[in-house]
Amino acid sequence: GFFTWISIYGINQTQVQRYLTVKKKSQAVKAIWLNVLGIGSLLLICAYAGLVVFAFYHDCDPITTRQVEKKDQIFPLFVMQVMGDYPGVPGLFVAGVFSGALSTVSSGLNSLAAVCLRDFIQSGCSIQLTETRATFITKMLAVAFGICGYGVVFAVKYLPGVLEAALGIFGIVGGPVLGAFTLGMFFPFANSLGAFVGTFSSLIFTMWMGFGQTVAKAAQTYDGARWSPKMPVSTENCPLAWYNYTVRATKEPFTPFTHLELYEVSYMWFSAIAWAWCVVVGILISLFKPTNHRRLDRRLICPALPSLFAIWPRRVRDWIKNIYDEIGADLEDVTKSNGPGAVNMGYIGEKRKEKM
């Protein structure tokens, strides 16, 4: 989960756009700390709710008795059974689910449209647009991505669960991107070829893991006892009405399918594996033709780089410290006015930018 949250808060486009809405870096840092309090409280509440649901259904599993088909449906069933007789409570629960989903989708569509406009249309195709036309194209792109997202909804029924699919996709996509940023921030000798090969190969590898696991579950060869063990449940105290269901015919596992131990890895590890793969491959590729760190902009390298090797042998620490001190030695100083990232350049006029 650590690498998943780092990729969400560190390099995710939706979060970066929020950071850029403030004038100073200190304001963005303050907003992150306030968000930590909110998301931490939310996770604690969700964890407590999960414990309550497990305690309620530990001796009457609703999945085994066919009351629900997927794990995502257990909590709504719990709400209807416990508080279904209270007017307004089920509706409030549904409203909360929809409001949370819509807020996440809206920010994602906005980010996709902005990235597509800036990186592909304006930068990639070198098309100059007026502010009015750019706004119109952004809205149309958001509509197009929304329609595509609506189409993906029909594929959700084939997934084991929405939460599992969301975290798995975050890990598959966010892990390689986090690895690319790690290469650029902590390894001054990394080059563009190493970052590209590491990111692309990491993406292919983790996609193989993720989709292979989905196919393994459909082929009924997935066990998950080692990486994702399940808590013990039973049906001994279920009401008799819950046993009145039609037993579905057992699906025959399709063949041929070669099950690998790799498919047993939990989706929670996708992000960490993708990050490690990208960093290792990127470093190995970059060593063949390393970038001259003396020509790098010091602001692109993390200031905490020497501190990461504080517990290493003195010779290694001194070597890293010397490399860090040499970064940007042969590069002309671009700006010393406010330090790296102290002020959001989007709030500064063009004339003042030229002076800086």
Side-chain angles (χ1 to χ4, degrees):
F2 171 80
F3 291 93
T4 301
W5 285 110
I6 289 294
S7 63
I8 291 175
Y9 280 91
I11 51 92
N12 189 279
Q13 174 65 19
T14 58
Q15 293 296 124
V16 173
Q17 283 193 193
R18 293 185 177 101
Y19 301 154
L20 294 177
T21 58
V22 297
K23 294 184 178 181
K24 296 182 179 180
K25 182 179 69 175
S26 59
Q27 295 176 333
V29 173
K30 188 180 299 183
I32 294 175
W33 280 113
L34 292 175
N35 184 265
V36 167
L37 296 177
I39 197 68
S41 302
L42 178 63
L43 291 177
L44 288 176
I45 293 173
C46 291
Y48 179 74
L51 293 174
V52 171
V53 171
F54 175 75
F56 189 82
Y57 289 120
H58 77 282
D59 56 355
C60 183
D61 183 22
I63 296 181
T64 305
T65 55
R66 305 285 180 153
Q67 296 302 305
V68 295
E69 295 182 359
K70 297 182 179 180
K71 294 178 289 185
D72 296 332
Q73 300 170 332
I74 295 180
F75 196 72
L77 176 67
F78 172 78
V79 172
M80 292 303 300
Q81 283 193 313
V82 176
M83 294 179 289
D85 295 333
Y86 295 92
V89 175
L92 184 63
F93 173 78
V94 174
V97 172
F98 274 95
S99 63
L102 290 175
S103 65
T104 304
V105 171
S106 62
S107 60
L109 294 178
N110 180 51
S111 299
L112 282 172
V115 170
C116 185
L117 175 69
R118 181 68 65 179
D119 293 345
F120 292 95
I121 297 178
Q122 292 183 328
S123 299
C125 301
S126 300
I127 299 177
Q128 300 298 327
L129 299 172
T130 62
E131 192 68 27
T132 303
R133 186 172 292 274
T135 303
F136 176 77
I137 293 177
T138 302
K139 292 180 180 179
M140 292 298 100
L141 287 173
V143 172
F145 285 125
I147 295 174
C148 295
Y150 184 78
V152 175
V153 171
F154 295 98
V156 173
K157 64 180 180 180
Y158 300 105
L159 300 176
V162 176
L163 178 63
E164 182 175 340
L167 292 178
I169 293 173
F170 269 127
I172 292 173
V173 178
V177 179
L178 179 63
F181 274 83
T182 303
L183 281 173
M185 294 173 59
F186 295 97
F187 298 93
F189 60 87
N191 57 29
S192 57
L193 179 62
F196 174 78
V197 174
T199 303
F200 187 73
S201 61
S202 174
L203 179 63
I204 296 300
F205 180 72
T206 48
M207 286 181 66
W208 174 33
M209 290 179 57
F211 288 108
Q213 185 179 104
T214 302
V215 176
K217 291 179 179 179
Q220 301 180 20
T221 60
Y222 177 80
D223 183 18
R226 179 178 179 183
W227 294 90
S228 302
K230 296 182 179 179
M231 299 294 290
V233 292
S234 67
T235 59
E236 57 181 347
N237 289 325
C238 289
L240 294 178
W242 282 28
Y243 290 99
N244 186 20
Y245 60 86
T246 302
V247 179
R248 295 180 180 179
T250 304
K251 295 181 180 180
E252 294 293 333
F254 55 88
T255 55
F257 177 74
T258 304
H259 185 84
L260 302 177
E261 187 67 23
L262 189 67
Y263 303 150
E264 297 288 334
V265 179
S266 173
Y267 62 91
M268 296 296 293
W269 287 93
F270 287 173
S271 182
I273 293 173
W275 172 85
W277 180 287
C278 180
V279 171
V280 172
V281 173
I283 290 175
L284 295 177
I285 298 296
S286 299
L287 288 176
F288 288 98
K289 191 178 180 181
T291 300
N292 185 6
H293 62 276
R294 299 178 65 90
R295 297 288 301 168
L296 287 177
D297 190 342
R298 179 182 286 268
R299 295 175 300 171
L300 301 177
I301 306 300
C302 180
L305 177 61
S307 303
L308 297 177
F309 298 88
I311 61 175
W312 286 50
R314 184 177 183 84
R315 182 176 298 180
V316 177
R317 283 182 293 163
D318 293 341
W319 179 63
I320 296 295
K321 184 67 167 59
N322 292 334
I323 292 179
Y324 181 76
D325 293 338
E326 293 175 355
I327 295 176
D330 298 339
L331 185 68
E332 294 183 1
D333 192 9
V334 180
T335 174
K336 293 183 179 179
S337 56
N338 291 296
V343 177
N344 186 353
M345 301 299 288
Y347 284 89
I348 299 176
E350 295 296 331
K351 294 184 178 179
R352 189 177 174 191
K353 287 182 181 179
E354 295 176 359
K355 294 181 181 179
M356 296 178 65

